[in-house]
Amino acid sequence: MSALLQDDLARASAEAGVAFSEYFVTDTAKWVWRYRLDQLTSDPGCAGWLTQAVVAEPEGAVVGYAGFHGPPDEVGMVELGYSVVPAHRRQGYARAMLAALVRRAVAEARVRTVRVTISPDNTASLATISGCGFVEVGEQWDEEDGLELIFEMPV
């Protein structure tokens, strides 16, 4: 994450063992890396829950990043997030990321609820979660993203 924040794709790729594209040093991605790096600094134990690169098998292409906003909170809720590199969109990767994150959450005894928040204008993400068991439970204002619809799924 530090290398990505410094626009050093070569170092980040070498350290991770995968080839990162320019998508991983966009302003949006850098906001994620900065935020997650701050989380890791303050609580190294949350590492297994945070954003990671997503690599398609068997070709080894880095198709995006996905993870949780942190470990389960005091009521057992985790919020997930994912982003697909534009060149790899509309190929099922977002749905595969979503399914993998839900499987990870279900495997953890402390998790009771999985949450995802989506802008009402993000039709692609709304379509991705459709039919996956999420129910709209409200909305919130996010300082970074604006209005978001809140969807949850009991585990």
Side-chain angles (χ1 to χ4, degrees):
M1 287 187 271
S2 295
L4 292 170
L5 285 170
Q6 296 167 7
D7 292 322
D8 192 341
L9 285 172
R11 190 179 96 205
S13 297
E15 288 178 7
V18 295
F20 289 113
S21 69
E22 292 290 328
Y23 186 71
F24 287 81
V25 293
T26 61
D27 289 342
T28 301
K30 286 172 125 177
W31 183 91
V32 172
W33 310 137
R34 190 171 299 107
Y35 192 86
R36 299 299 176 230
L37 196 54
D38 288 346
Q39 280 181 286
L40 280 171
T41 301
S42 66
D43 180 12
C46 70
W49 288 95
L50 300 183
T51 308
Q52 300 177 24
V54 176
V55 180
E57 296 295 338
E59 61 274 10
V62 182
V63 297
Y65 52 87
F68 297 93
H69 294 310
D73 68 12
E74 63 280 350
V75 295
M77 193 272 296
V78 291
E79 184 172 346
L80 61 83
Y82 52 88
S83 184
V84 179
V85 173
H88 296 287
R89 291 181 180 160
R90 301 191 56 78
Q91 298 175 43
Y93 291 118
R95 181 121 358 190
M97 291 177 194
L98 177 67
L101 291 168
V102 168
R103 279 193 306 274
R104 164 71 166 95
V106 169
E108 174 62 50
R110 296 179 298 156
V111 176
R112 299 283 177 250
T113 305
V114 178
R115 174 181 282 184
V116 61
T117 58
I118 301 172
S119 164
D121 299 329
N122 189 338
T123 55
S125 281
L126 292 170
T128 297
I129 69 161
S130 177
C132 293
F134 286 92
V135 175
E136 186 174 345
V137 297
E139 60 184 42
Q140 68 183 15
W141 184 262
D142 182 87
E143 291 300 321
E144 183 70 22
D145 300 322
L147 180 64
E148 296 177 326
L149 303 175
I150 303 169
F151 296 87
E152 293 183 347
M153 173 195 313
V155 174

